[in-house]
């Protein structure tokens, strides 16, 4: 009973917890107050353009940077105070990948095995085969894509409760990107939490359960992929069989850049489509096209305008 | 646990393997080449007379006194400047290559993301640099003994051992300055500038300050004076001279190890 309670409380406790995180580099405000929680067993997408503060947040989480203000940690531990205990339960793929050139992938895996413990050579070979990675070549001789595979192999080689991936598919070919997504899904199925930082919307869209979007060091949106899609602008196109109700169409809430060309009406709609449907119901509509918004639309939408 | 410790020291040692070999070969060649000319100077009265004609300051500054004796020859050609300076440079470069340079290149990040403390990582690298320095010093001693035997340079091997030990400790002292700087700010340019700058400055203070009656008393601020002020090639060295180099080295390394845990790690 006690064990069940503990497990249920573990499930409720966030794996990653960030409260009011602020990080300044001198006068540069890289992160300006981030609050977020990542639940156990979810794939959490962390989206934002270059320089938005994603890597800084991750490096604070790993204890490589000390927060200017706020708290950041995982498993209920503080990243600065309890860094070693925290890092024992997580693995990491850096965005800017710098590996020791003089080693082979095999030697690097063994070296990390000595540093972490729990090294399984069979699992290493399995991952290498899956990623089509030659373990015997020196890292200096590998392409950027193959070096990325080495980092991915290291991240999935050890039992971890949390995998932190910063731009993990940079340099990977589409086939390997698909394999990577399969590995992420398998890790999640095994109860591992994945913190996936990326500027590739399609990657996050396919992998993540929830997404946070960062702009200029601040979170501008947080929610499930479906919720963010709901906030995105949709492109609508309507062909009328009678004269279009020009004035009424332009007056609809959320209508952006409406264009009427003879019987064809095009616009971008932000917010609910319901008022448009209501108006069209009283007219003769030949055909209608609504492009389903993807996360990229939501993402770009949130990036429009001045920084918050 | 032992695998972890072996990796923390062994990994950096493997990385320094090639540089250590080159330093050993280079310094051994310098010693052998220098000692090979000893037979031409041995007991040369003409040379002693020529040196006597030079101003006292020049003789003192370049360590030319007793050039015709084994100790004088070794001091002037190897142990007053070149060998201690090169060994100090090796120590600073070893430390820089395993600390600030690794951090600035971003290669340290993946290691520091493992469940190991920064202090443990730095201590492992400092020990590795110390081992590399000890290897180079031992090779230097062996090269010196072999060259002495080959070219009939007769000097007490105990005094030679003492001189090499002081030379190694002086290099470790400058390596420790590099550790302290790398711990406080992981910038390679700063580590090299301060580590190598301190070695050059110490050398200049110890060799030139004695020429001025005003500056002479200040020569004792130089670690070079602590190391070689007792003329170790000719006299037994007081124990305090070893301690004067070893104790500050430990303190400086401890400063670096303490400081590295209290700052940001720079990224690639």
């Amino acid at each position: 009973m006690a064990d069940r309670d503990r497990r249920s409380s573990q499930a409720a406790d966030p794996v990653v917890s960030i409260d009011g995180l602020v990080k300044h580099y001198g006068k540069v405000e890289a992160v300006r107050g981030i609050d977020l929680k990542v639940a156990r067993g979810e794939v959490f997408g962390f989206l934002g353009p270059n320089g938005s503060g994603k890597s800084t947040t991750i490096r604070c989480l790993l204890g490589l940077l000390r927060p200017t203000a706020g708290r950041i940690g995982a498993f209920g531990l503080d990243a600065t105070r309890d860094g070693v205990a925290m890092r024992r339960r997580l693995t990491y793929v850096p965005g800017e990948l710098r590996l020791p050139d003089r080693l082979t992938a095999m030697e690097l895996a063994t070296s990390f095995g000595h540093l972490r413990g729990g090294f399984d050579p069979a699992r290493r070979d399995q991952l290498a085969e899956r990623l089509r990675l030659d373990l015997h070549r020196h890292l200096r001789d590998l392409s950027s894509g193959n070096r990325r595979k080495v980092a991915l192999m290291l991240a999935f080689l050890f039992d971890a409760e949390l995998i932190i991936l910063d731009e993990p598919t940079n340099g990977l070919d589409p086939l390997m990107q698909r394999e990577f997504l399969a590995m992420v899904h398998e890790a999640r199925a095994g109860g591992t939490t994945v913190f996936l930082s990326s500027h590739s919307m399609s990657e996050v869209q396919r992998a993540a359960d929830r997404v946070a979007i960062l702009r200029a060091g601040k979170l501008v949106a947080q929610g499930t992929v479906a919720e963010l899609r709901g906030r995105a602008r949709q492109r609508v196109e309507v062909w009328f069989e009678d004269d279009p109700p020009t004035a009424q169409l332009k007056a609809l809430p959320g209508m952006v850049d409406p264009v009427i060309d003879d019987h064809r009406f095009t616009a971008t709609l932000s917010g609910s489509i319901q008022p448009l449907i209501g108006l069209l119901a009283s007219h003769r509509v030949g055909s209608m096209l609504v492009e389903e918004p993807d996360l990229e639309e939501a993402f770009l939408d949130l990036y429009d305008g001045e920084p918050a | 646990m032992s695998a972890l410790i072996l990796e923390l020291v062994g990994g950096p040692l493997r990385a320094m393997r090639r540089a250590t070999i080159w330093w050993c070969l280079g310094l051994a060649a310098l010693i052998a080449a220098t000692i090979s000319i000893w037979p031409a100077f041995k007991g040369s009265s003409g040379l002693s007379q020529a040196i006597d004609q030079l101003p006292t300051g020049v003789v003192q500054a370049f360590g030319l006194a007793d050039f015709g004796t084994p100790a004088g020859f070794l001091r002037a050609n190897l142990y007053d400047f070149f060998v201690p300076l090169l060994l100090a440079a090796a120590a600073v470069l070893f430390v820089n290559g395993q600390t600030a340079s690794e951090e600035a290149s971003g290669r340290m990040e993946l290691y520091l993301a493992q469940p190991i403390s920064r202090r443990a990582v730095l201590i492992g690298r400092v020990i590795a640099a110390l081992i590399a320095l000890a290897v180079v010093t031992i090779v230097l001693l062996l090269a010196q003994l072999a060259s002495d035997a080959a070219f009939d340079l007769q000097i007490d091997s105990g005094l030679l051992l003492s001189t090499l030990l002081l030379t190694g400790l002086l290099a470790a002292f400058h390596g420790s300055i590099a550790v302290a700087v790398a711990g406080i700010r992981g910038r390679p340019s700063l580590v090299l500038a301060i580590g190598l700058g301190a070695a050059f400055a110490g050398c200049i203070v110890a060799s030139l300050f004695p020429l001025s009656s005003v500056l002479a008393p200040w020569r004792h601020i130089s670690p070079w004076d602590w190391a070689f002020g007792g003329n170790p090639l000719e006299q037994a060295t007081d124990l305090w001279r070893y301690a004067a180099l070893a104790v500050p080295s430990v303190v400086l390394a401890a400063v670096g190890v303490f400081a590295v845990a209290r700052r940001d790690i720079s990224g690639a």
Side-chain angles (χ1 to χ4, degrees), chain A residues 23-25 59 62-67 83-85 87-103 108 110-112 114-116 140 151 154 158, chain B residues 1 3-8 10-16 18 98 102 104-118 125 261-268:
Chain A
K23 180 63 190 172
H24 296 170
Y25 297 109
R59 299 184 82 241
L62 291 161
L64 297 169
L65 301 177
R66 299 166 72 83
V84 174
R87 293 193 295 271
R88 193 165 287 130
R89 297 162 69 178
L90 63 83
T91 56
Y92 166 57
V93 172
E96 289 289 337
L97 197 53
R98 299 284 189 273
L99 300 172
D101 289 344
R102 67 199 156 79
L103 298 181
L108 186 63
T110 308
S111 164
F112 273 52
H114 291 151
L115 294 176
R116 296 192 69 99
R140 62 172 168 262
L154 293 175
F158 302 96
Chain B
M1 189 57 159
L4 171 64
I5 292 169
L6 276 177
E7 187 57 42
L8 286 175
L13 260 182
R14 281 194 297 277
M16 285 190 288
R18 194 168 292 179
Q98 286 305 308
E102 284 282 285
S105 72
R107 280 192 293 269
M108 191 82 102
E109 180 163 323
L110 203 51
Y111 284 92
L112 294 180
Q114 305 308 315
I116 327 152
S117 72
R118 292 183 198 178
R125 289 168 184 244
R262 304 179 67 82
R263 66 165 171 88
D264 289 347
I265 297 296
S266 46

